[in-house]
Amino acid sequence: MTVESFAVLGVVLASIILFATEKIAVDMVALLAMSALVLGGILTPQEGLAGFSDGATVAVAGMLVLSSGLAATGAVSQLPGFLAPIMQRNRTLGVAAMMLVVSLVSGFINNTACVAVFLPVCLGISRMIRVSPSKLLMPLSFAAIFGGTCTLIGTSPNLLVSSIARNHGLAPFGMFEISRLGIIMLVVGTIYMLTMGIRLLPERRRAEQMTKHFGMGKYLAEIVLLPEAPSLGLPLAKSPLMGELELEIISLTRAGDVMSLPSPQTVLEGGDVLLVCCDVEALSELQQRQHLRLKTDMKVGDQDLQKRDGALLEVLIPTRSTLVKESLESINFRTRFGATAIALRHRGEDRVIHRQIAKTRLRAGDVLLVEVQRDRLDEFKGYPDFAVISESRVERPQRQKILTASLIFVAVVLSASFGLLPIEVGSVVGAVLMVLTGCLTREAAYHALDWKIIALIAGSLSLGTAMEKTGLAEILARQIVSQLGSYGPIALVSGTYFAAMILTEMISNSATAALMTPIAIASATAVGYDTRPFLVAVMFACSASFMTPIGYQTNTMIYGPGQYRFSDFLKVGIPLNMLFWVLSSILIPILFPV
C-alpha cells in the first residue's frame, strides 16, 4: 500500500468511528473527511466538491421536495383512513393492511415523510383499539424500509449506488429493475413481522390520555390568587410567585374569560385562576406565603386542557430537526413557537422530565407534551422541526391541490421509468412545478431540503473517490476476493451483502453505500463477474437496518413514541437481518446472474 492509501484508510476508519459514536454530527463528519482529503492533496478541490453536483445528491434533494409537496396537500394522508375499521375487526389483518399500504407509499416518497404521516394515525388507532403503540410502530418503520427497496427512488442509497455505477461507466439502474427482489423481500418481511416479529414486540405501555402518559397528575394544578396576594398588580414575569417556584403558566381565567399561554407582561388581578405546570407538592407549601388557594379537587386531563384556548399536542423531535442538542431556553421556545412545553420524555427512557425542561438539551427521538395557542396551531404544525404524533383534535388539511401534486409526482416517476428524463433532472423539474403550481410554498420547499442528508451524501462520495484514486478500494476488494473468491460467486455476493449490512447498522446507510459501492465494483471486476448482482447486494444491505434504532431514521422516529428499548430492536431485528441476508445470498445470483 502507498502512503496515500494508508492516509485514506486512516480517514475512512476515523470517519466510521465518528459515524458510529455520533460524537460529531454525521453530516459534519462527512464534510470533515472531504476537507481532510482535499487539504492532504489526495483529492483536488474539484474532486472533493464533485459530490454536491452528483446525480444522486441532486435526485435526493428533488425527491425530498416532491415528497413534501405530496404531504402538504394531504395526498398521502388520504390513505390511512380505512385502517382503523380493519384493525378494530381483526388486529393482525389491520397490521398487514397498514404494512402493505406503508410499503407502497414508501416505494415512491421519502421514508421519513411516509412514517411522519402514518405515525399519528397508528397512535390514534392504538388508543381506539386499546393496544400498546409498541405493537404497531416497529411494523410501521420496517414496512417503510421494505417498501424503499422496491424502486430506484425508494431510498437514497439506491440512487447513490446507481449514480456511482454510472460514474464508473456502468449502466444506471432502471426505476423498477430491483422491484422483483424488493417485492419478495417485502412479502417475506411482512410475513415475519405478522407471525414471529409481532410476538417478540414488547407490551410496553397502552395508549392513554397524553396527560396521564406523561405523568402530569402531580404537575398540573389550578391556583386562585387571593386579594392579599403579593403578586397582584405585577406582570407575570415579575411576580414573586414566578420567582419562588419554577412553573409554566398554561392559562389564566379572569371573570370567565380564558387566556391561553398569557404573555409575561400580563398583569395579575385578585381572583385570577391560573392553570400551572409545576411540582404541586412544592406549590402547596407556598399557599400561605403567596396567598394562594390550590384547587386540590381538580383533575386535569386532555379534554380539560382542550377546552381552553389552546391545543394539547404530543410532538416528536425528528433526526433532522434543528432543535437537536439545543435547549428550549436557548431557542426562546415559547415566544418563537407560541407554545409551552409541559413535559419531556427522552428517547428510549421510561422517566418523564417535568422540571428544568427549558434547560434540558433535546435529542433526536425525544417526545414533548406541548400546549399550543390555537391561533398558531397550523403554523406550529408546519414547522419541520417537529412531527406531531398525537393531538386531541384532528383538522382536515387543505386538499384542493391533491390532484395537481399527484399528477406532478406521477409524471416524474413515468419520465424516469421510460427514460425520457434522468431521475435527477425529472425530480428537480417536478420540485419546481410543485412550487409554481402552489402545491408547496417556496419557503416550505427550502425547508423540505434536508441539508444534513445532502451534505452527508456529498461528503461521503469524496471518501469513495479517494478510495478508488489511491487504489485502496482495489486492495480491499482483493482481500475479500482472496477470502471468498474460491467459494464461487454466491459466496462473494453474500460476503459483500454481509459487510454492508453490518456497516449500515453502525453508520449512515448513505455513507455505507458510498464506501461499499467502489469495493463491490472492484471485487466483481477482479474475478471477471458482472457487477450488477454486487451492486444490488449493496443496495439492499444498506436498507436492511433492523437491529438498532440508530441505523435508519424511521427507527429513530418510532423509538420514543413506542417506548422501545435498544434490546427490542436486537430481539426483533437480528432474525430479520439474518433472514434477509440468507434470502439475498440465494436470490440475487438467480435474479441478477453473475
Side-chain angles (χ1 to χ4, degrees):
M1 287 177 65
T2 63
V3 175
E4 289 81 5
S5 297
F6 274 113
V8 174
L9 181 60
V11 173
V12 169
L13 293 176
S15 298
I16 290 174
I17 292 171
L18 290 173
F19 278 137
T21 59
E22 294 187 325
K23 295 294 184 184
I24 303 175
V26 291
D27 53 319
M28 293 305 299
V29 173
L31 294 178
L32 280 172
M34 179 191 72
S35 301
L37 294 170
V38 172
L39 293 174
I42 295 170
L43 294 179
T44 65
Q46 292 76 16
E47 289 171 331
L49 296 172
F52 286 99
S53 60
D54 187 84
T57 311
V58 175
V60 168
M63 294 307 300
L64 287 172
V65 177
L66 285 168
S67 298
S68 182
L70 287 174
T73 58
V76 179
S77 60
Q78 293 285 305
L79 296 172
F82 71 94
L83 293 175
I86 298 176
M87 285 199 184
Q88 283 182 313
R89 291 195 297 269
N90 187 306
R91 190 195 308 174
T92 301
L93 183 61
V95 173
M98 179 268 291
M99 292 186 70
L100 290 176
V101 172
V102 170
S103 298
L104 175 64
V105 174
S106 67
F108 296 96
I109 74 167
N110 177 265
N111 288 354
T112 305
C114 177
V115 171
V117 169
F118 281 87
L119 183 55
V121 174
C122 287
L123 288 173
I125 290 173
S126 71
R127 282 190 290 273
M128 186 184 301
I129 65 176
R130 296 186 177 276
V131 63
S132 170
S134 57
K135 291 290 188 181
L136 302 180
L137 297 189
M138 197 178 291
L140 166 64
S141 177
F142 287 3
I145 296 174
F146 298 157
T149 64
C150 292
T151 68
L152 178 64
I153 62 174
T155 65
S156 54
N158 292 355
L159 288 166
L160 193 51
V161 171
S162 180
S163 180
I164 295 174
R166 185 172 57 187
N167 292 340
H168 280 76
L170 303 172
F173 279 80
M175 178 66 72
F176 301 105
E177 187 174 343
I178 59 174
S179 297
R180 290 177 299 167
L181 181 59
I183 292 172
I184 294 173
M185 294 299 199
L186 187 160
V187 172
V188 172
T190 301
I191 292 174
Y192 166 84
M193 288 303 298
L194 293 175
T195 53
M196 180 178 175
I198 204 165
R199 295 180 181 178
L200 296 174
L201 290 172
E203 191 78 32
R204 194 55 40 80
R205 70 171 174 89
R206 288 193 176 275
E208 53 200 8
Q209 280 199 342
M210 287 181 272
T211 47
K212 184 178 179 182
H213 166 48
F214 278 89
M216 298 307 300
K218 296 181 180 180
Y219 293 91
L220 284 175
E222 273 192 328
I223 56 175
V224 181
L225 297 183
L226 301 179
E228 60 271 27
S231 295
L232 300 187
L234 296 174
L236 272 172
K238 296 182 179 180
S239 69
L241 178 62
M242 298 290 286
E244 284 204 44
L245 191 64
E246 181 193 352
L247 52 78
E248 288 283 354
I249 308 295
I250 297 173
S251 70
L252 184 154
T253 303
R254 178 180 296 165
D257 294 327
V258 180
M259 288 182 281
S260 178
L261 304 178
S263 73
Q265 287 73 44
T266 302
V267 177
L268 296 172
E269 298 179 3
D272 283 351
V273 180
L274 301 176
L275 176 62
V276 300
C277 176
C278 68
D279 187 330
V280 177
E281 292 180 3
L283 181 63
S284 63
E285 297 174 3
L286 297 179
Q287 286 188 80
Q288 290 186 349
R289 188 160 66 252
Q290 292 294 336
H291 296 280
L292 312 170
R293 179 164 59 84
L294 178 62
K295 298 178 70 173
T296 55
D297 60 334
M298 192 202 74
K299 295 182 180 180
V300 179
D302 292 1
Q303 293 179 348
D304 300 293
L305 289 171
Q306 291 292 336
K307 289 176 183 176
R308 291 165 165 80
D309 191 28
L312 189 67
L313 306 178
E314 199 174 359
V315 298
L316 174 78
I317 306 298
T319 307
R320 58 173 292 192
S321 174
T322 59
L323 306 185
V324 173
K325 297 186 179 179
E326 297 284 348
S327 68
L328 299 179
E329 183 178 66
S330 68
I331 61 171
N332 201 6
F333 180 82
R334 182 163 182 157
T335 302
R336 180 178 171 187
F337 297 108
T340 294
I342 54 181
L344 165 67
R345 185 185 292 276
H346 275 315
R347 181 184 76 188
E349 296 184 9
D350 291 330
R351 70 188 183 96
V352 176
I353 299 174
H354 301 96
R355 301 178 184 177
Q356 302 290 325
I357 298 175
K359 300 181 186 298
T360 303
R361 294 202 175 275
L362 300 173
R363 311 171 190 166
D366 284 354
V367 178
L368 283 167
L369 181 66
V370 299
E371 177 84 356
V372 184
Q373 294 174 352
R374 284 197 182 274
D375 59 354
R376 296 191 63 178
L377 181 59
D378 290 337
E379 178 187 356
F380 183 88
K381 291 165 69 175
Y383 285 113
D385 290 315
F386 308 104
V388 177
I389 60 176
S390 184
E391 69 172 303
S392 297
R393 181 174 58 87
V394 180
E395 299 180 353
R396 289 187 174 185
Q398 296 296 322
R399 306 191 188 280
Q400 64 269 24
K401 296 289 185 178
I402 287 180
L403 180 60
T404 304
S406 300
L407 288 175
I408 291 172
F409 190 84
V410 170
V412 171
V413 172
L414 292 178
S415 67
S417 302
F418 292 102
L420 302 177
L421 286 174
I423 184 61
E424 58 269 27
V425 176
S427 62
V428 170
V429 172
V432 172
L433 288 175
M434 283 285 187
V435 176
L436 293 179
T437 57
C439 297
L440 203 62
T441 65
R442 186 163 51 89
E443 292 75 15
Y446 282 118
H447 275 306
L449 293 173
D450 191 340
W451 293 106
K452 291 182 180 179
I453 291 179
I454 293 170
L456 173 63
I457 292 174
S460 299
L461 281 168
S462 66
L463 285 172
T465 301
M467 289 171 61
E468 297 170 68
K469 186 176 180 180
T470 60
L472 179 60
E474 186 178 348
I475 293 169
L476 295 175
R478 282 203 207 105
Q479 291 297 317
I480 294 175
V481 170
S482 66
Q483 297 296 321
L484 299 173
S486 60
Y487 296 100
I490 293 179
L492 203 53
V493 170
S494 179
T496 302
Y497 184 103
F498 186 82
M501 179 184 73
I502 297 300
L503 195 57
T504 202
E505 295 291 354
M506 298 185 292
I507 68 175
S508 159
N509 52 8
S510 295
T512 301
L515 290 172
M516 286 298 301
T517 303
I519 297 174
I521 293 173
S523 298
T525 304
V527 287
Y529 293 146
D530 188 349
T531 57
R532 219 61 170 176
F534 292 84
L535 295 173
V536 172
V538 173
M539 280 184 174
F540 277 79
C542 286
S543 295
S545 180
F546 309 113
M547 293 193 295
T548 70
I550 60 175
Y552 209 90
Q553 283 188 343
T554 59
N555 289 347
T556 304
M557 289 179 69
I558 56 102
Y559 192 28
Q563 289 299 291
Y564 294 113
R565 300 191 179 113
F566 201 96
S567 58
D568 296 328
F569 282 86
L570 292 175
K571 185 164 52 177
V572 180
I574 288 177
L576 186 56
N577 268 59
M578 294 300 103
L579 178 60
F580 271 38
W581 174 43
V582 172
L583 280 175
S584 296
S585 301
I586 297 171
L587 294 175
I588 290 176
I590 295 174
L591 298 176
F592 303 88
V594 294

